[in-house]
């Protein structure tokens, strides 16, 4: 296990951080045309759906760039959450704004969504990294996993068109072709290894670890053979409340990108700054649960990463 790098704290109270806040991701939308079998959103998301406004996004980007410029410039801020960001009508405009503010951005995209127009707008906006998530190896396996019929071959077609466009535009965006590692993808992973590793324009092929998110969705945990009750360790190892925050489309701030249903809301940027939310009472209370090794909140208590994230 890697050595834990503990954050610096205000000596008067370990629940108050003297670090500048870090945004891990901004959820531009939680709308999505897919019904992915491994996604907590598909089975259990009950919160309202919608799109982030530009005013809210620019406010978050401006504060992040001003308060923590070094981290913003050198670490990827992911512009997705529990939705398909390409359905946001102003995605490219949002990403371009972040780029102008010297905030390094990345995005996970389903290749099926990469029409020529979206592809060109996206590459022009200057993302540092794009994850192209392609699960399955034919139409049937894709439908089983992603929930849309007759979509794999179209996804491949648009992926190749996008890679050609990237070459034509001379884009420096790092392209990662990713596939989730779980039983339903076993045959697909073998096919992917043979088919995609040497395709021009793909910089990396990544077999992503399967996640059960916060461990609360039975339909998802059932897909992982080793999933089950959280094995209590001697000390909580997850440090996310001390290191990052996530921003939802409606301005609500949560402590973790696994929070698909806003189970723990730390504040809203329409009411307080991100810097204030970072050390406000809700975050302090959450950190104290971790410091006391007694996590009871509805987001973290079942999470498989609680005792296993170093």
């Amino acid at each position: 296990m890697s050595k834990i790098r503990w954050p610096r704290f205000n000596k008067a109270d370990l629940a108050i951080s003297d670090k500048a806040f870090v945004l891990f991701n901004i959820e531009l939308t939680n709308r999505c045309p897919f019904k992915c079998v491994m996604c907590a959103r598909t089975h259990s998301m009950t919160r309202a759906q919608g799109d982030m406004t530009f005013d809210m996004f620019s406010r978050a980007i401006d504060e992040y760039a001003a308060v923590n410029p070094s981290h913003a410039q050198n670490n990827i801020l992911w512009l997705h959450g529990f939705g398909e960001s390409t359905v946001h009508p102003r995605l490219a405009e949002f990403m371009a704004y972040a780029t102008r503010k010297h905030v390094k951005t990345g995005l996970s995209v389903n290749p099926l969504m990469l029409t020529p127009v979206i592809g060109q707008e996206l590459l022009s906006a200057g993302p540092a990294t794009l994850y192209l998530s392609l699960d399955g190896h034919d139409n049937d396996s894709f439908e089983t996993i992603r929930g849309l019929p007759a979509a794999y071959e179209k996804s491949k077609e648009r992926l190749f068109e996008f890679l050609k466009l990237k070459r034509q535009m001379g884009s420096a965006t790092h392209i990662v072709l990713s596939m989730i590692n779980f039983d339903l993808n076993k045959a697909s992973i073998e096919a992917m290894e043979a088919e995609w590793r040497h395709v021009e324009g793909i910089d990396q092929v990544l077999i992503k670890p399967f996640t059960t998110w916060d461990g609360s969705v039975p339909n998802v945990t059932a897909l992982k053979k080793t999933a089950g009750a959280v094995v209590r360790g001697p000390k909580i190892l997850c440090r996310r409340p001390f290191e990052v925050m996530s921003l939802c489309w409606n301005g609500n701030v949560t402590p973790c990108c696994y929070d698909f249903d806003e189970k723990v809301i730390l504040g809203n940027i329409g009411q307080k700054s991100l810097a204030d939310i970072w050390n406000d009472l809700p975050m302090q209370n959450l950190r104290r649960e971790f410091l006391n090794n007694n996590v009871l909140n509805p987001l973290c208590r079942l999470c498989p990463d609680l005792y296993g994230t170093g």
Side-chain angles (χ1 to χ4, degrees), residues 45-67:
M45 191 183 76
T46 63
R47 60 188 168 105
Q49 298 184 46
D51 298 338
M52 180 171 281
T53 66
F54 182 77
D55 177 69
M56 188 174 292
F57 180 79
S58 60
R59 193 185 321 155
I61 292 296
D62 289 350
E63 185 180 1
Y64 188 32
V67 172

Side-chain angles (χ1 to χ4, degrees), residues 122-149:
L122 195 56
L123 290 170
S124 297
T129 298
L130 287 178
Y131 275 57
L132 305 183
S133 301
L134 185 65
D135 290 286
H137 60 278
D138 55 26
N139 283 340
D140 289 341
S141 57
F142 187 93
E143 182 177 358
T144 296
I145 296 170
R146 292 286 181 175
L148 292 184

Side-chain angles (χ1 to χ4, degrees), residues 8-302:
R8 295 176 293 113
F9 294 105
N10 183 319
K11 293 181 180 180
D13 189 344
L14 293 179
I16 299 176
S17 174
D18 65 358
K19 294 196 310 177
F21 74 85
V22 169
L23 273 181
F24 178 77
N25 71 298
I26 297 179
E27 178 186 72
L28 302 187
T29 181
N30 64 341
R31 297 186 296 119
C32 185
F34 295 84
K35 300 293 183 183
C36 301
V37 68
M38 64 287 189
C39 184
R41 179 194 185 280
T42 301
H43 307 283
S44 299
M45 191 183 76
T46 63
R47 60 188 168 105
Q49 298 184 46
D51 298 338
M52 180 171 281
T53 66
F54 182 77
D55 177 69
M56 188 174 292
F57 180 79
S58 60
R59 193 185 321 155
I61 292 296
D62 289 350
E63 185 180 1
Y64 188 32
V67 172
N68 202 346
S70 178
H71 198 281
Q73 292 172 24
N74 294 290
N75 297 272
I76 292 177
L77 170 63
W78 298 102
L79 298 186
H80 61 259
F82 283 91
E84 170 56 60
S85 292
T86 54
V87 306
H88 194 295
R90 301 175 71 180
L91 166 62
E93 180 184 355
F94 282 29
M95 183 171 281
Y97 182 83
T99 300
R100 290 197 302 273
K101 292 292 182 174
H102 307 291
V103 176
K104 190 175 183 180
T105 60
L107 182 66
S108 181
V109 179
N110 284 282
L112 183 64
M113 308 301 292
L114 292 175
T115 64
V117 171
I118 290 177
Q120 184 166 16
E121 289 179 346
L122 195 56
L123 290 170
S124 297
T129 298
L130 287 178
Y131 275 57
L132 305 183
S133 301
L134 185 65
D135 290 286
H137 60 278
D138 55 26
N139 283 340
D140 289 341
S141 57
F142 187 93
E143 182 177 358
T144 296
I145 296 170
R146 292 286 181 175
L148 292 184
Y152 180 79
E153 293 302 326
K154 187 65 176 179
S155 296
K156 280 184 60 177
E157 177 185 330
R158 287 188 170 169
L159 174 53
F160 279 116
E161 290 174 352
F162 178 77
L163 293 175
K164 180 180 179 182
L165 179 63
K166 178 181 180 290
R167 293 194 298 271
Q168 291 173 344
M169 294 178 64
S171 170
T173 297
H174 186 76
I175 301 296
V176 180
L177 185 67
S178 67
M179 182 174 286
I180 298 173
N181 187 9
F182 69 130
D183 282 353
L184 289 179
N185 254 342
K186 186 174 181 180
S188 303
I189 289 172
E190 294 175 358
M192 177 190 235
E193 295 281 347
E195 183 175 5
W196 293 103
R197 283 203 177 273
H198 303 293
V199 171
E200 186 179 359
I202 294 176
D203 300 298
Q204 180 183 356
V205 172
L206 176 67
I207 309 303
K208 294 173 62 177
F210 182 81
T211 178
T212 59
W213 309 106
D214 69 349
S216 69
V217 184
N219 301 71
V220 176
T221 57
L223 296 172
K224 187 172 183 179
K225 290 181 178 179
T226 57
V230 175
V231 178
R232 184 177 178 87
K235 191 177 185 65
I236 289 171
L237 296 180
C238 177
R239 308 309 300 164
R240 289 175 189 169
F242 305 96
E243 296 175 351
V244 296
M245 297 188 296
S246 293
L247 179 60
C248 298
W249 72 268
N250 57 4
N252 283 339
V253 177
T254 64
C256 178
C257 62
Y258 286 178
D259 195 352
F260 63 90
D261 221 23
E262 296 182 356
K263 294 180 179 181
V264 174
I265 298 175
L266 303 171
N268 187 286
I269 63 168
Q271 301 166 354
K272 294 186 177 182
S273 69
L274 289 166
D276 285 342
I277 293 170
W278 177 238
N279 274 318
D280 205 6
L281 188 59
M283 181 63 105
Q284 290 182 44
N285 290 338
L286 179 65
R287 288 174 181 154
R288 288 191 179 98
E289 287 191 18
F290 281 63
L291 292 166
N292 294 332
N293 212 51
N294 186 30
V295 170
L296 300 175
N297 74 79
L299 171 63
C300 305
R301 64 189 179 193
L302 297 177

